[in-house]
Amino acid sequence: MNLQMVLRPILLCFLFLLPTLIMADGETVTTNPIDKSDTTWMLVSSALVFFMIPGLSLFYGGIVRSKNVLSTMMHSFIAMIVMTLQWTIFGYSFAFSGENPYIGNFDLAFLDGIDINSTKGSIPTYVHFLFQGMFALITPALISGAIAERIKLSAYIVFILVWSTLVYDPVAHWVWADSGWLFKMNALDFAGGTVVHLISGIAGLSAAIVIGKRKGDPGLLTHPNNMTYTLLGSGLLWFGWFGFNAGSGLAVNGLAARAFLVTLIAPAAAGASWLLIEYYHTKKATALGAASGIVAGLVVITPASGFVGVKGALIMGALVSPICYLAILFKGKLKYDDTLDAFGIHGAGGAFGAILTGIFALELAEGMTFESQMIAQVISVVATGFYSFVISYILALVIDKTIGFRIEEDKEITGLDQEIHGEKGYDIR
């Protein structure tokens, strides 16, 4: 029954696209001269962002209990598989085609009309598809951190497939497409503070509220199984993030160099700030704290990486750690179970970074005053966050009431590795 429920929306999507496939006219998109240096850098950046996803799987996999390490890591790899297909079939078209300010159309479905001579700026359109596709792959994987250790694989697949179609693709269109309403409002988001981090963190929060807390002793729920995985994962994320941010200008120039620079500085400031806060609060400076601070710094600098300088990066990195630290502490007060703090780091950090981008930007968008720029930043945060929360909550609720989002209690107690995959993450003899 679960397999049927997974295949049903996929088949419906195919039938929905069938008229487009039959009637496609093969029109070629704009052709400009291709810059070999820009193309080379963007291919490298695409590979760097793709490499972040296995890094995320290590980061998340090390924090959960040993009986769920494999299933948690698989969430990232499932996102790579499912979202590559979604992005190819219609996701890229929904995000970057058409003149509608809210959503694209089917003009670029299956990359129809694109060939080796088609360009986006100075790079082949294929490369633009690849680079933006890596963002579309990793964003649903971030959501899994909020709901790990208690969800069905079939429900997760349905959730990320439909969520990306209804939330990620439209929001990417709002912010990055030339016709997007937030793009036209001049809201600044260089590499995805709202598009990637805020909406994924908010979606994780919505789903966590719907499915409820994990079963078991609260003390054991927060006992990481392998902090070496988590530290290695944070390092791989940092490494890949250089492509994430420095590649978002789609060219090799001084802007890419400065974006690369601030992507080094902000996480260092955030990591130092987190360790200081943690030591003051608990008298310990943990590896998990260092890894969390680094990721928080990467999140906060993402929307600002193309707009701020060294001083702005230092301040933003130092300020984000207390914000995310408090957000994580508050989940106990508000009684929701964000397993791996997807909302605490990505949701809170992404929103905070988008606001600070308007404050520390070296240059405002064309025709904007400081006041109008800040209004645009606040609107972008509120609009994308609210939209993601509402759609994600409804989607999670529908899945929970139909195929069921949460795995059975006895299987949750046994562990998802054995119950879902029939394997163990560790088999030490």
Side-chain angles (χ1 to χ4, degrees):
M1 180 60 180
N2 284 345
L3 180 60
Q4 293 176 350
M5 296 303 297
V6 172
L7 291 176
R8 191 174 300 162
I10 297 174
L11 291 174
L12 287 174
C13 287
F14 177 78
L15 292 174
F16 188 49
L17 286 166
L18 192 58
T20 301
L21 300 178
I22 295 172
M23 300 176 64
D25 59 12
E27 183 181 352
T28 303
V29 298
T30 305
T31 300
N32 295 315
I34 292 175
D35 186 291
K36 293 182 179 179
S37 298
D38 291 346
T39 301
T40 301
W41 167 238
M42 293 310 302
L43 286 169
V44 171
S45 294
S46 299
L48 286 170
V49 181
F50 184 82
F51 196 51
M52 291 170 65
I53 309 175
L56 179 69
S57 76
L58 284 170
F59 181 83
Y60 278 170
I63 304 175
V64 297
R65 292 166 290 176
S66 58
K67 64 182 180 180
N68 297 318
V69 58
L70 190 62
S71 66
T72 298
M73 296 178 74
M74 275 292 289
H75 289 151
S76 293
F77 283 84
I78 289 295
M80 292 161 67
I81 295 169
V82 172
M83 294 317 305
T84 294
L85 300 176
Q86 189 268 6
W87 190 247
T88 302
I89 296 170
F90 57 84
Y92 178 69
S93 189
F94 279 10
F96 289 101
S97 69
E99 298 300 322
N100 188 289
Y102 304 107
I103 186 65
N105 53 38
F106 290 102
D107 285 354
L108 301 178
F110 289 91
L111 302 186
D112 182 62
I114 297 174
D115 58 31
I116 60 173
N117 298 310
S118 305
T119 56
K120 178 74 172 179
S122 62
I123 62 174
T125 307
Y126 284 140
V127 178
H128 184 257
F129 165 86
L130 288 170
F131 181 70
Q132 291 294 342
M134 302 312 171
F135 288 64
L137 267 60
I138 196 171
T139 305
L142 294 173
I143 298 172
S144 69
I147 51 180
E149 298 199 290
R150 60 198 188 278
I151 58 172
K152 295 179 180 179
L153 182 61
S154 56
Y156 172 70
I157 292 172
V158 173
F159 183 83
I160 64 172
L161 178 61
V162 179
W163 182 87
S164 295
T165 304
L166 298 181
V167 180
Y168 181 83
D169 297 341
V171 172
H173 187 84
W174 298 357
V175 177
W176 288 333
D178 293 341
S179 59
W181 71 277
L182 287 174
F183 182 87
K184 290 183 175 180
M185 189 183 288
N186 289 323
L188 300 177
D189 188 348
F190 192 69
T194 54
V195 180
V196 175
H197 298 291
L198 174 59
I199 64 171
S200 64
I202 289 285
L205 174 64
S206 298
I209 292 172
V210 170
I211 65 177
K213 295 183 178 181
R214 290 167 288 169
K215 304 295 183 182
D217 183 346
L220 296 177
L221 293 180
T222 56
H223 185 68
N225 81 90
N226 193 333
M227 279 309 305
T228 56
Y229 274 14
T230 299
L231 274 178
L232 179 59
S234 67
L236 294 178
L237 284 169
W238 200 346
F239 173 70
W241 225 292
F242 290 123
F244 197 93
N245 287 350
S248 289
L250 306 182
V252 176
N253 50 31
L255 178 61
R258 191 179 68 196
F260 199 115
L261 175 65
V262 297
T263 305
L264 175 67
I265 293 170
S273 177
W274 195 293
L275 288 174
L276 288 171
I277 294 166
E278 188 176 50
Y279 187 78
Y280 177 80
H281 182 227
T282 67
K283 302 304 178 187
K284 301 290 183 182
T286 66
L288 180 57
S292 299
I294 287 168
V295 174
L298 290 165
V299 170
V300 79
I301 200 62
T302 293
S305 54
F307 307 115
V308 304
V310 171
K311 294 177 182 177
L314 283 168
I315 297 171
M316 291 178 70
L319 291 179
V320 73
S321 289
I323 295 297
C324 292
Y325 197 89
L326 286 172
I328 292 171
L329 291 180
F330 270 117
K331 74 177 182 179
K333 302 288 186 182
L334 300 176
K335 301 187 184 304
Y336 64 88
D337 189 5
D338 179 359
T339 310
L340 306 176
D341 299 317
F343 173 72
I345 292 178
H346 295 280
F352 192 57
I355 298 298
L356 292 186
T357 297
I359 295 174
F360 291 106
L362 298 173
E363 295 181 4
L364 303 178
E366 185 177 354
M368 301 291 277
T369 64
F370 177 77
E371 290 77 13
S372 62
Q373 187 68 69
M374 289 306 301
I375 291 173
Q377 298 306 113
V378 171
I379 290 175
S380 70
V381 168
V382 173
T384 57
F386 179 77
Y387 180 74
S388 180
F389 184 86
V390 171
I391 300 300
S392 303
Y393 188 90
I394 294 172
L395 176 58
L397 195 62
V398 169
I399 291 173
D400 193 52
K401 298 299 183 183
T402 53
I403 64 174
F405 212 143
R406 185 169 187 147
I407 199 165
E408 293 84 352
E409 184 174 345
D410 60 329
K411 294 181 179 180
E412 181 181 342
I413 292 171
T414 301
L416 276 63
D417 289 1
Q418 189 64 46
E419 292 293 342
I420 293 179
H421 304 291
E423 300 169 303
K424 294 181 180 179
Y426 306 112
D427 190 8
I428 301 173
R429 300 179 183 179

